[in-house]
Amino acid sequence: MINANFVSSKGYKPIRAWEYPVDFLVLYSSLWLTAGITAPMWNDGVSLPSENDKFSDRLMMEPFNTRKENIFSVWYDASGKKIKDINGDDVYVPNGSFYAKNVVEPIMFTYMALYMRSKNYNIALMIGELFTLSILYEFTVRPVFKVSSFEQLLKNPAAGTLAGILFDEIATYLLTTPYIGLHVLAYIINPFKALPTSHVHGLIFLQPYTAAVTVAAQAEF
């Protein structure tokens, strides 16, 4: 017999109908949070649409417009002198724009995926919602501050899907173990599992390894 005090319950709670629109609004609101977090990071700054830089113009996505986001900058030393490589060429390093595009935005989409996984969303629905949110981000949020980006339209939800499923799978597996320390780690990996609205769900890839967890729980008992 499995010791229920150690191994997390496999009781499933259905997602109620009202949770879907509420969750979507919460996730859409997080897109504006993403824009707020990245705003100070952009190397060339952010600005509101103006008469000479209309909102509609910003919908012409990078790289299909004449404006390009420079994500690398020349490296200067402490005295303000350019650092050169062995060939005498300038050395370039990632700037704030690089981290805004390639770190912060994908991480925020990963957290969106983790949130939906904690609610036991169907995988196909989760992926579809992430890409829908990405479209909304590029066409309703980002143009308020920057030019929309075709690269980010695809990259953010793709990275969020892969990382979200991976991290949630690990967190879910850790919660099936009989060790409190691993449970704490699980909540660190996916903090949304601690929410009262979180739904217990099964494993996708790590299910075969739960047999070892059962043995460990019996031995601990």
Side-chain angles (χ1 to χ4, degrees):
M1 168 180 284
I2 300 176
N3 187 348
N5 293 323
F6 288 109
V7 182
S8 64
S9 170
K10 290 296 184 295
Y12 290 85
K13 296 186 296 181
I15 304 178
R16 291 158 290 189
W18 63 265
E19 291 185 79
Y20 289 107
V22 170
D23 287 344
F24 189 84
L25 291 175
V26 169
L27 294 173
Y28 180 71
S29 298
S30 70
L31 296 179
W32 291 93
L33 175 62
T34 302
I37 292 173
T38 58
M41 303 177 66
W42 294 104
N43 197 55
D44 54 352
V46 297
S47 62
L48 296 175
S50 64
E51 185 177 348
N52 298 323
D53 187 19
K54 297 181 176 63
F55 185 92
S56 57
D57 295 334
R58 297 184 177 194
L59 296 179
M60 181 62 70
M61 311 183 84
E62 184 203 5
F64 307 116
N65 55 36
T66 57
R67 292 179 292 189
K68 300 291 183 290
E69 290 171 348
N70 183 12
I71 61 175
F72 292 95
S73 298
V74 176
W75 192 9
Y76 292 87
D77 61 20
S79 64
K81 184 179 179 180
K82 291 182 180 179
I83 295 178
K84 305 287 185 178
D85 61 19
I86 57 175
N87 297 319
D89 297 323
D90 292 338
V91 175
Y92 288 83
V93 294
N95 57 34
S97 298
F98 176 91
Y99 296 105
K101 290 183 66 171
N102 298 298
V103 178
V104 177
E105 288 186 356
I107 285 177
M108 292 301 287
F109 273 80
T110 297
Y111 274 109
M112 293 181 201
L114 287 172
Y115 176 79
M116 284 188 276
R117 286 302 297 145
S118 74
K119 301 292 292 288
N120 196 23
Y121 271 61
N122 179 277
I123 293 294
L125 179 60
M126 183 196 77
I127 294 173
E129 195 157 319
L130 280 178
F131 275 90
T132 300
L133 288 165
S134 182
I135 293 171
L136 289 173
Y137 182 61
E138 299 300 331
F139 285 98
T140 68
V141 179
R142 211 166 187 262
V144 176
F145 306 96
K146 300 286 295 180
V147 177
S148 59
S149 170
F150 182 73
E151 174 191 354
Q152 299 304 106
L153 175 67
L154 300 178
K155 182 172 69 178
N156 286 336
T161 297
L162 294 175
I165 292 176
L166 173 63
F167 291 143
D168 178 74
E169 187 78 353
I170 294 173
T172 301
Y173 175 72
L174 293 178
L175 287 175
T176 67
T177 67
Y179 307 110
I180 299 300
L182 295 182
H183 290 192
V184 173
L185 180 59
Y187 289 121
I188 293 174
I189 294 174
N190 186 357
F192 300 112
K193 286 187 174 295
L195 293 175
T197 55
S198 176
H199 297 257
V200 177
H201 61 79
L203 293 161
I204 302 174
F205 304 108
L206 298 179
Q207 184 62 39
Y209 298 97
T210 57
V213 174
T214 301
V215 173
Q218 290 175 335
E220 196 71 34
F221 179 74

